[in-house]
Amino acid sequence: MYGFLIALGLLLLVSIIWMVYRVQTLVSVMKGSDKKRASGSNKVNAAMFMVFLVGTFVLMAWYSVKEFDNYQLPIASEHGQITDNLFWITMAVTGFIFILTHILLFWFSYRYQYEEDKRAAYYPDNNKLEIIWTLVPALVLTVLVISGWQAWKDITSPAPENAHVIELLGYQFAWDIRYAGQDNQLGRHDFRLTNATNSRGVDFTDEKALDDFESNIVVIPKGEPVLFRIRARDVLHSVFAPHMRLKMDAVPGMPTRFWFTPTKTTAEMREETGNPEFEYEIACTEVCGSGHFSMRKVIEVVTPEEYQKWLAEQKPFIVQNPDLVANLPADLKKVAEIMIEENK
């Protein structure tokens, strides 16, 4: 380690000495020295600009092709195709501009390298060019922004009435999952009700909450809309399901939502990827603390028939812990007791 630091220090020292020498040379030129202004290094540097341009473009193209499958994951939701189309259109536009401007940048550095007998041309302005390179980017960006806004509006708009409602609650450092039960309506929640036995702060005085239940994994049906209601208990988290092209922040005190329609079951994706251990997942993409890495939840996409069978087997919170409804008003408590008896 010390040898590496010493070598690095020597390299920096040599670089500083060289830069001081170059500064002195430029100062002498400014003072009107008779020293030759353009040495052989001028042409070498100009040529190296072109070598660097070609080399980096070749490297970029090679890496993009080689790693394509690693960053272009299979799409598993309907809106995912729209998201990917927007991404690739934006990539094409910005990529074309990026390549064009860098070709011009490096070509100009090579083409207009210093020569003793060359004088710079004076070209103060051109109103037509100013209008063109202002209007064209403005129009292109307007189209891209409107397209993105339309896609965002669709996925954050009210979900279809038949959407399966699931709540994702993020906290340091895990996700809690709450299903809306047979009535497909989540009960109210209140952070002031959060305690050791009611970690989600569910308000069981709301009759809609009586059939709510939890799950260790997120189970959703293929081909049917799913609504994620997202909230956070402590700090900022983020729900990210890459194959669904789903990403939405979980913000304390500000519930968010995201609805989508899965298009491939977990079994179908395992067959497509050739990976028998493949799993969809939810990950947190906000650095929310030292245990951030552990915020992972598995998503299992099944057929509608398998989902209904699984749904019928689940037990509400109040069945697993009857103490949750011990202090309810008499009429509501009676309803809860009947539900507990039916689900035993």
Side-chain angles (χ1 to χ4, degrees):
M1 184 62 182
Y2 287 110
F4 171 76
L5 293 175
I6 292 173
L8 182 61
L10 290 174
L11 179 61
L12 290 174
L13 180 61
V14 171
S15 299
I16 292 171
I17 293 173
W18 172 252
M19 292 302 297
V20 170
Y21 168 75
R22 292 295 299 163
V23 169
Q24 289 178 339
T25 301
L26 292 174
V27 169
S28 66
V29 171
M30 292 296 294
K31 290 182 176 179
S33 170
D34 292 335
K35 185 173 181 178
K36 187 177 180 181
R37 299 189 181 192
S39 62
S41 64
N42 188 63
K43 293 185 177 180
V44 172
N45 288 334
M48 289 300 293
F49 266 89
M50 300 306 296
V51 172
F52 183 81
L53 173 67
V54 174
T56 51
F57 277 171
V58 169
L59 182 63
M60 180 182 70
W62 168 80
Y63 183 82
S64 298
V65 173
K66 178 178 179 296
E67 298 295 328
F68 182 80
D69 290 338
N70 289 331
Y71 59 80
Q72 178 63 15
L73 300 177
I75 303 172
S77 70
E78 288 184 358
H79 87 272
Q81 190 62 58
I82 299 173
T83 301
D84 269 27
N85 289 340
L86 284 174
F87 172 81
W88 286 114
I89 291 172
T90 303
M91 181 65 74
V93 172
T94 57
F96 172 76
I97 298 301
F98 174 84
I99 292 173
L100 177 62
T101 54
H102 278 74
I103 288 175
L104 292 175
L105 173 66
F106 283 84
W107 167 250
F108 270 57
S109 300
Y110 173 80
R111 176 65 180 82
Y112 298 105
Q113 60 185 279
Y114 176 78
E115 294 179 10
E116 295 282 355
D117 56 348
K118 183 182 291 184
R119 293 179 62 83
Y122 181 67
Y123 194 75
D125 63 80
N126 186 308
N127 291 335
K128 290 183 179 179
L129 284 178
E130 294 282 354
I131 293 173
I132 291 172
W133 66 45
T134 299
L135 288 182
V136 171
L139 291 173
V140 172
L141 288 175
T142 299
V143 172
L144 292 177
V145 169
I146 292 177
S147 301
W149 170 78
Q150 184 64 47
W152 177 256
K153 184 175 69 70
D154 290 342
I155 61 177
T156 56
S157 63
E161 292 185 2
N162 64 332
H164 301 279
V165 183
I166 305 169
E167 180 186 75
L168 306 180
L169 172 64
Y171 62 94
Q172 294 174 313
F173 295 98
W175 296 105
D176 273 351
I177 311 301
R178 178 164 66 117
Y179 277 77
Q182 293 294 336
D183 64 1
N184 201 34
Q185 297 185 67
L186 283 172
R188 293 190 301 266
H189 65 269
D190 188 333
F191 73 93
R192 293 169 295 186
L193 299 175
T194 303
N195 54 43
T197 57
N198 187 6
S199 62
R200 299 163 182 81
V202 179
D203 183 1
F204 288 99
T205 62
D206 180 6
E207 189 173 345
K208 296 175 183 176
L210 296 180
D211 63 347
D212 292 356
F213 65 89
E214 66 177 340
S215 175
N216 290 326
I217 63 173
V218 180
V219 181
I220 53 179
K222 170 187 173 182
E224 298 181 3
V226 176
L227 171 63
F228 280 172
R229 292 194 175 276
I230 302 166
R231 60 191 181 99
R233 196 169 69 192
D234 40 35
V235 299
L236 186 68
H237 301 281
S238 185
V239 175
F240 178 52
H243 293 86
M244 310 296 175
R245 303 303 193 265
L246 186 165
K247 188 178 187 300
M248 179 65 72
D249 284 349
V251 186
M254 191 181 76
T256 54
R257 68 177 185 270
F258 194 116
W259 77 270
F260 63 102
T261 303
T263 56
K264 299 175 184 176
T265 65
T266 299
E268 289 172 338
M269 188 60 80
R270 286 175 177 172
E271 184 176 351
E272 179 178 334
T273 60
N275 178 11
E277 298 181 356
F278 172 86
E279 290 180 331
Y280 294 114
E281 72 168 8
I282 290 174
C284 178
T285 52
E286 297 289 346
V287 183
C288 54
S290 58
H292 161 73
F293 65 91
S294 66
M295 291 195 66
R296 180 180 183 270
K297 211 70 172 176
V298 173
I299 300 177
E300 184 175 353
V301 182
V302 297
T303 64
E305 295 76 19
E306 291 172 326
Y307 177 76
Q308 290 301 325
K309 180 182 177 182
W310 174 84
L311 188 63
E313 296 171 350
Q314 305 310 303
K315 304 296 182 183
F317 289 116
I318 61 174
V319 174
Q320 298 173 344
N321 187 0
D323 291 342
L324 291 171
V325 294
N327 299 319
L328 291 182
D331 57 339
L332 198 56
K333 186 175 181 180
K334 187 63 177 178
V335 174
E337 289 174 348
I338 294 173
M339 186 175 294
I340 292 173
E341 191 64 29
E342 291 177 345
N343 283 276
K344 282 185 177 179

